[in-house]
Amino acid sequence: MKHIADSHRHMSGPHSKIIAAAAKAELAPLGFKRRGQSRLWLKDHGFWLNVVEFKPSQWSIAVDLGNAAHWLWGGCGFMSLNYYDPGGPYTEYRDEDQFGAAVADIASTAASRTKEVDGKFASFGAIADYVIAKANGSERMRPSWFGYYAGVACGILGDLDQAASFLRGITDERVIPRAERFLPAIESPIAFREKANEIVDQQRAALKLPALTRGPF
């Protein structure tokens, strides 16, 4: 699980303005909004976010692309990237014309890939299939974040026995308190979904996203 660095919060300089303008031109028509003055652009699906990350370089004036998804129902308290594809194009700044043309291409690629992410996670069932497969595919990560997300997904879908198996199998001390939030509701599908809705509300508030008028689950 990737954690967004604080360096994304405030970006300045001519190159950042070029990135922001190109991103707005390509992503705003698709429903994305820029997160403050950062290089993150978000499309809000209520219980998850489609995320575009125009990543800065530590060593030069440069940018490369990452497409991602964030599960609001996981309630980790910060902007984690729970699905992440970093395989995007990269460019370094040489002059404004060169950088502007390259960033326009990167933003266009970002827009195309966001549609792939939307298609990949078009329903909660599709998200559940993804996280369950990730948990079952890694004995090392099943007792950690992958198992937690799989357990919550199973509970939301009403498979409480499988949810209990995943959640009670968490041994990562960072994740145990998050899993334990759901255990009192493990016998009731309604109570479990209510807890998931509560977690979504809390995570949206933590990320300063607008409150939902009704719970997604």
Side-chain angles (χ1 to χ4, degrees), residues 2-212:
K2 189 175 186 290
H3 186 172
I4 289 292
D6 290 343
S7 60
H8 273 290
R9 291 180 180 173
H10 299 288
M11 307 302 299
S12 60
H15 61 287
S16 289
K17 293 180 180 179
I18 292 171
I19 294 167
K24 182 177 181 180
E26 292 285 349
L27 298 178
L30 300 179
F32 282 79
K33 294 182 179 180
R34 187 181 181 187
R35 182 163 174 78
Q37 297 300 308
S38 75
R39 292 187 183 184
L40 291 176
W41 288 75
L42 311 177
K43 183 176 181 180
D44 190 346
H45 288 280
F47 57 87
W48 73 281
L49 302 175
N50 192 334
V51 182
V52 177
E53 181 187 23
F54 295 94
K55 298 180 293 180
S57 169
Q58 292 181 321
W59 315 113
S60 62
I61 299 175
V63 63
D64 69 297
L65 175 64
N67 285 82
H70 169 70
W71 316 138
L72 290 161
W73 47 273
C76 61
F78 52 86
M79 176 64 78
S80 59
L81 300 183
N82 309 116
Y83 162 82
Y84 190 70
D85 181 0
Y90 166 89
T91 189
E92 293 188 7
Y93 184 97
R94 294 195 297 271
D95 57 62
E96 285 197 16
D97 289 341
Q98 164 270 331
F99 193 70
V103 168
D105 287 342
I106 291 174
S108 178
T109 299
S112 177
R113 287 173 53 172
T114 63
K115 296 173 185 177
E116 295 176 7
V117 175
D118 271 352
K120 185 179 182 71
F121 302 124
S123 67
F124 186 78
I127 293 174
D129 288 344
Y130 172 79
V131 297
I132 292 168
K134 294 290 283 185
N136 287 332
S138 173
E139 289 298 323
R140 181 177 67 87
M141 289 301 296
R142 179 175 173 137
S144 186
W145 291 106
F146 289 169
Y148 167 66
Y149 290 127
V152 176
C154 287
I156 290 171
L157 293 179
D159 187 350
L160 298 183
D161 289 341
Q162 191 62 36
S165 176
F166 278 119
L167 294 174
R168 289 178 174 146
I170 301 300
T171 57
D172 187 329
E173 293 184 357
R174 300 168 301 168
V175 189
I176 288 173
R178 306 185 193 283
E180 288 178 341
R181 297 177 298 183
F182 285 93
L183 293 180
I186 205 66
E187 302 296 331
S188 167
I190 293 174
F192 198 100
R193 287 193 293 270
E194 287 177 347
K195 173 55 69 172
N197 286 335
E198 178 185 322
I199 296 298
V200 169
D201 288 343
Q202 292 172 354
Q203 183 68 0
R204 292 183 67 86
L207 297 181
K208 296 180 173 57
L209 298 170
L212 298 177

